Every structure is written in structure tokens, then in C-alpha cells.
Amino acid sequence: AAELAQRAAGYADVAGRALAAANAALPTEDEPYAKLWQATTTLREHRGDGHVAALVAAGFGGCEVLVLRGVLDGGSETYRPFRGWDDAQWAAAEAALVDRGWLDPARAVTEAGRAAYAQVEVVTDAIAATPWRLLGPAGTRRLAELLTPIAADVGEVLRFPNPVGVPRIQRPAG
């Protein structure tokens, strides 16, 4: 897993991606778990930096996206305790989303809000695809197979919902 993740991370173009670039610039450790951590962190930040760019391009403010994502995830306050937004900032973000037609007056997500966020995800996936395309389908599949049991173990101690939006991972059968 460490070797495959490191190979994929090496394919990540970090230009314009500050967090991915910072992680990619760190010295590589020989110890497998440290190598795996480094590579997966670089890959996560590569996607994350691209996600932020897609959100900015779509016109989202920081608090707005957390409000909308919280509503989409079924709990509008899911992310707020972890991000430090005060009541006035949160209310202003909700009002801005209502004004844009992305939330209705009752603060439920509209089809336009769903579509706007879905488009951000499409753009994010597209600009994060290079490492996986270059690693290839077989390498990507194998890395997923190797990481799924680790993710399931972590999921047993991670709270849900969580502040980074990580879904529950089902432990593979067998």
C-alpha cells in the first residue's frame, strides 16, 4: 500500500496546491506506515486543494459551503463546532444561500443547491484524477483493496458524522 500510494502521490501535480505541495516536499520516510501516511496525506491535500479551488470558482464562501454541506448531510450543525463560525456568521451564510436559491426559506436544500454542490464535486473529481489515471485501474483498485481494511479499522474509532465528511467504511467480508 505504501509503495502504491507513494507512486500515486508522485503523479500529483502540486502547482497551485499549497497544502499538497507542502506535504510532497517533506522528506520521505523509509518506515512503511510513515511512507503510507506521507503519501496519502499528499493525495488527500491534492484533492482538497482542488476542492477549495472548485468551491471558490463556484462562488462559495467558507461558511456557506459548510452550511450547505451540513444540510446535505442531514445535520446543518455537523461542521460548525469544529470550524469556529459564530451565530452571526452562520446566520449570514444561511441567508446568503437562501438569497442564491440554494436553500429555501426553511433552510432546506433546493434542487439548485444540490446541483451547485454536485457540480463542485464533478470539477473536484476531474482535477484530482491525474494520480489515479497514471497509477492505472489495476494499481488504483489494488491500493483501494489494501487500504479498505485500514479505513474500516479507523472507522471503528472515528465519530460519525465527523468534521471532514469521511463516510463510514464497511469492513470487507472475509
Side-chain angles (χ1 to χ4, degrees):
E3 295 298 327
L4 282 170
Q6 189 175 44
R7 190 173 336 141
Y11 295 139
D13 179 1
V14 297
R17 290 177 162 102
L19 294 175
N23 279 284
L26 293 172
T28 303
E29 300 288 331
D30 289 332
E31 197 278 319
Y33 287 111
K35 187 184 294 187
L36 179 62
W37 180 267
Q38 173 81 28
T40 55
T41 299
T42 299
L43 290 164
R44 182 191 69 237
E45 297 303 350
H46 177 263
R47 187 181 196 287
D49 288 341
H51 188 60
V52 170
L55 288 165
V56 170
F60 278 97
C63 191
E64 290 173 357
V65 72
L66 293 175
V67 169
L68 186 61
R69 179 68 192 258
V71 173
L72 286 166
D73 290 347
S76 62
E77 296 283 327
T78 300
Y79 303 106
R80 186 173 170 195
F82 304 101
R83 303 300 171 117
W85 300 103
D86 65 29
D87 291 344
Q89 292 167 316
W90 200 260
E94 287 178 327
L97 292 169
V98 170
D99 288 347
R100 292 169 104 167
W102 292 353
L103 291 181
D104 68 20
R107 306 305 199 249
V109 68
T110 64
E111 285 307 310
R114 273 184 211 291
Y117 194 82
Q119 183 58 34
V120 165
E121 291 296 335
V122 166
V123 170
T124 299
D125 289 346
I127 62 179
T130 298
W132 310 111
R133 182 177 50 76
L134 294 175
L135 187 60
T140 300
R141 203 171 22 257
R142 180 64 180 143
L143 182 56
E145 289 168 3
L146 293 168
L147 291 179
T148 298
I150 296 169
D153 286 346
V154 169
E156 290 178 7
V157 296
L158 188 63
R159 67 181 291 268
F160 292 94
N162 56 68
V164 292
V166 174
R168 289 191 190 274
I169 304 293
Q170 296 299 317
R171 184 167 299 289

